[in-house]
Amino acid sequence: MPYIQDNEKSIRTPLGRARNHGSAQGGTHHWWMQRITSIALIPLVIWLLSCLDCLLTPSFEQTVMWLNNPFVAVTIALFVIVGFYHASTGIQVVIEDYIHCKSAKITALMLTHFTFFAMAVACLFSLLVINFKTNPFSIPMQEVGIIE
Amino acid sequence: MAKQRPLSPHLQVYKPQLTSMMSIMHRITGFALAVGLIVPTWWLVSVTQGPDAFMQFQEFMRGPVGLSLLAGWAFSLIYHLLNGLRHLMWDTGRGLTLPEVYRSGWLVILGSVIVTAALLYSAYN
Ligand code: HEM
């Protein structure tokens, strides 16, 4: 959309200048998604905080077993999808506020979205590997190569 | 040419207020949380790489650096969660008078400290 200088010489009204340029039709999309993801994250992070210890104490075998519980796997997957989306769109706002050089801004935005998207895919893929390469009930984990 | 409008004074000359400090804290904690997502990513990926990679992860997280990061991440998450609820309340048009904003602000600070202390106490005992 061409930017028309708002100088005193112009006799065009603000409405006249805005007309026919259309709108991006997405003015509230980003804001709305940030609200939806915030609300969805409330139960997810409460659950996450309640099992912070799961990162530190369980053994490798216990961790694999735990992640093989469908409730656990699905909850983590939901957190990854919603949380990484909220995070990368959140960082986007921070970048837009503080980086004013256009090329630096676009580079930073792309790097942010690429990085968070790649991390989310790595998490989801790992969950799939953990759940479908192991079967804690019948096949010993050694046989499927998870344990040396 | 840009118009010679009066500019607002620089940030440094403003007296720090609860409202502005909590606002920037929401941003700082959000940013820290986002960067911290590297930890759960490392954790999940390490499980797929076998016991050695997993032990390496746990050794780091149980060390002084890992534990401090985890405690900082937990505090950030609790503050961001409680203050996020405050934001969502404002979005419904509630709690916007100055006394209410200050009251909910102190409530969030108090709540974050208490919940974080309780969580870390129960985790380390
Ligand atoms: C892993 C968890 C989370 C991460 C990484 C994260 C990250 C972020 C980031 C980077 C921002 C942008 C900050 C800014 O614009 O100043 C943000 C904003 C926001 N977050 Fe989160 N957040 C997380 C969890 C939550 C939760 C659980 C809530 C629940 C209430 C929440 C509510 C909000 C809200 C309401 C905003 C918008 C604030 C505004 O309008 O200025 N976040 N978050």
Side-chain angles (χ1 to χ4, degrees):
Chain A
M1 178 176 127
Y3 176 68
I4 296 163
Q5 188 92 36
D6 178 19
N7 61 27
E8 282 86 18
K9 287 203 191 103
S10 170
I11 57 161
R12 302 189 69 197
T13 62
L15 182 61
R17 279 198 297 275
R19 264 198 184 137
N20 298 325
H21 287 304
S23 94
Q25 308 287 349
T28 55
H29 176 74
H30 185 280
W31 182 88
W32 181 236
M33 289 309 282
Q34 202 71 0
R35 306 302 117 171
I36 293 182
T37 52
S38 296
I39 290 168
L41 275 169
I42 297 169
L44 293 171
V45 303
I46 290 174
W47 179 79
L48 202 70
L49 283 167
S50 75
C51 60
L52 216 53
D53 202 40
C54 298
L55 254 57
L56 302 179
T57 37
S59 68
F60 177 74
E61 287 80 1
Q62 284 168 328
T63 305
V64 172
M65 293 287 206
W66 189 64
L67 290 171
N68 264 276
N69 177 327
F71 174 80
V72 172
V74 168
T75 310
I76 294 178
L78 286 173
F79 170 75
V80 167
I81 293 168
V82 182
F84 282 61
Y85 184 86
H86 178 91
S88 65
T89 50
I91 299 273
Q92 177 179 344
V93 181
V94 180
I95 291 172
E96 285 166 350
D97 279 353
Y98 297 141
I99 304 184
H100 302 303
C101 162
K102 196 166 183 185
S103 56
K105 175 167 32 193
I106 290 173
T107 311
L109 285 176
M110 282 195 186
L111 274 178
T112 302
H113 289 306
F114 291 169
T115 307
F116 280 99
F117 197 77
M119 292 204 313
V121 171
C123 286
L124 296 177
F125 186 72
S126 298
L127 280 172
L128 291 176
V129 168
I130 295 161
N131 271 269
F132 296 110
K133 260 200 173 176
T134 61
N135 181 341
F137 303 110
S138 53
I139 314 170
M141 281 183 269
Q142 283 87 341
E143 279 176 29
V144 280
I146 285 288
I147 297 181
E148 307 283 306
Chain B
M1 273 304 291
K3 286 186 181 163
Q4 296 296 307
R5 294 199 180 93
L7 293 169
S8 109
H10 284 109
L11 207 54
Q12 299 93 292
V13 309
Y14 278 111
K15 177 168 166 248
Q17 298 164 105
L18 183 76
T19 41
S20 57
M21 289 300 120
M22 290 192 72
S23 168
I24 195 63
M25 271 291 282
H26 192 78
R27 176 157 282 194
I28 292 169
T29 53
F31 192 84
L33 287 170
V35 175
L37 288 176
I38 193 76
V39 170
T41 309
W42 180 18
W43 173 64
L44 283 175
V45 171
S46 83
V47 176
T48 69
Q49 301 304 300
D52 291 345
F54 180 77
M55 289 308 286
Q56 227 177 333
F57 166 81
Q58 272 198 339
E59 250 162 58
F60 173 79
M61 287 312 291
R62 284 195 205 139
V65 179
L67 285 180
S68 322
L69 285 176
L70 202 63
W73 199 78
F75 174 77
S76 298
L77 186 53
I78 291 161
Y79 175 88
H80 191 94
L81 169 66
L82 294 179
N83 202 50
L85 290 171
R86 195 165 160 246
H87 267 278
L88 295 173
M89 170 186 75
W90 289 333
D91 291 338
T92 70
R94 273 164 263 239
L96 287 167
T97 67
L98 214 47
E100 285 172 319
V101 167
Y102 271 83
R103 197 179 328 131
S104 60
W106 284 115
L107 218 61
V108 164
I109 292 177
L110 200 72
S112 316
V113 171
I114 292 174
V115 175
T116 310
L119 186 80
L120 294 182
Y121 180 82
S122 73
Y124 293 156
N125 276 277

